[in-house]
Amino acid sequence: MVGAGGRLSDWVAVAREYAAAHGYFLPPTTAVWEGHPIGVWAKNARAAAHRARENEELGAAGRPVRSAAGAMTEARRDEQDAIGPGWCPVWDTGWLRLTPGSGHRVSRDE
């Protein structure tokens, strides 16, 4: 099992396996794949990507960026995008819960 401090390459490999099996990579926070808490890892990766996006938007607007700590690098975002382009939507995923036949059910805690 990949531990919380496991190597990034190990987590990316688990994410690829999950995406291959499900056809997408947007696991709910409760998702566990072959013993790996991939949902929590993905939630944290999405948060880091959102921080990076917010920092880019602030910088582009000429506003001060509070901190780059915890923000995902562009190279890592590209690596995540290669797994599945929908892994970090800019919109709220709550609509998926209400869409019949969407093929994806998201838990309320995501």
Side-chain angles (χ1 to χ4, degrees):
M1 181 166 135
V2 179
R7 293 185 328 210
L8 177 60
S9 60
D10 295 338
W11 281 106
V12 169
V14 172
R16 283 190 179 118
E17 290 174 14
Y18 182 97
H22 292 85
Y24 60 88
F25 186 67
L26 187 59
T29 56
T30 56
V32 175
W33 185 251
E34 296 187 7
H36 307 293
I38 194 65
V40 172
W41 181 82
K43 174 190 66 95
N44 293 339
R46 287 190 296 267
H50 287 299
R51 276 192 295 276
R53 187 177 299 123
E54 289 168 4
N55 287 348
E56 289 169 358
E57 290 171 0
L58 287 171
R63 298 175 59 199
V65 174
R66 284 171 254 152
S67 173
M72 185 178 282
T73 65
E74 187 173 347
R76 184 164 166 218
R77 280 185 283 167
D78 290 344
E79 185 174 32
Q80 294 288 112
D81 287 342
I83 295 169
W87 75 275
C88 187
V90 294
W91 60 87
D92 178 20
T93 57
W95 66 273
L96 288 169
R97 290 184 206 101
L98 305 174
T99 307
S102 69
H104 180 68
R105 300 292 180 247
V106 180
S107 66
R108 292 197 178 275
D109 66 319
E110 181 174 13

